[in-house]
Amino acid sequence: MSEKGVRGFELDVHVTFSRPLTVAEATAALLALEGFTVELYRPHPAALVRGTEGEVPDAVPGARLTGPLRDPEAVRAGLAALLQGPARTVEVGQRGFLRSADGRTEWMPWRRNVVKSRQDTAALTFEEGVRTVLE
């Protein structure tokens, strides 16, 4: 008997910082959104990234957070905190996925994109398949 995979929707958040942060700074900033799997983006090793103190060897330009949407109000508050602080833009939405029995995840394309002002976090509806860009 073969094992079946799982399909569903999870929150998918991409954060772009206004300046490259150290790993510690990025991790601290992302604590505003607790309970999600965090993947810090790293620039290409050959890229030269300059911060306020000169070159930043482990510069983090952004991050991706994924996981189930448990508390929409807490997510709205966390996104508002990020956008008032170190985030330049945030892309957020409930993204469809197919997860195989061995744990591999395939993400489905977004059905629709919406662009809103960075102050519109309270208006986020987290509609399935819709990506909202807050800039």
Side-chain angles (χ1 to χ4, degrees), residues 3-127:
E3 292 186 40
K4 291 189 174 190
V6 177
R7 72 171 52 200
F9 287 87
E10 281 188 346
L11 196 68
D12 189 6
V13 181
H14 293 264
V15 178
T16 303
F17 299 121
S18 55
R19 64 172 180 80
L21 302 178
T22 64
V23 171
E25 290 171 329
T27 303
L30 295 171
L31 288 177
L33 292 170
E34 292 184 71
F36 293 100
T37 301
V38 176
E39 175 188 347
L40 298 177
Y41 295 145
R42 303 293 175 106
H44 188 274
L48 175 65
V49 177
R50 293 196 178 275
T52 53
E53 297 84 30
E55 288 184 29
V56 181
D58 269 347
V60 177
R64 179 181 190 192
L65 296 90
T66 56
L69 177 62
R70 292 184 184 97
D71 184 355
E73 286 305 316
V75 171
R76 287 183 190 102
L79 293 174
L82 281 171
L83 288 164
Q84 290 172 4
R88 182 179 72 217
T89 61
V90 171
E91 299 174 13
V92 60
Q94 289 251 57
R95 191 166 193 182
F97 68 87
L98 297 171
R99 189 163 292 133
S100 67
D102 65 359
R104 288 177 294 141
T105 302
E106 289 187 42
W107 294 96
M108 299 296 102
W110 295 105
R111 285 189 244 159
R112 188 166 52 103
N113 295 308
V114 176
V115 178
K116 294 188 176 213
S117 168
R118 60 193 300 116
Q119 289 82 24
D120 286 344
T121 55
L124 286 173
T125 59
F126 302 109
E127 193 178 328

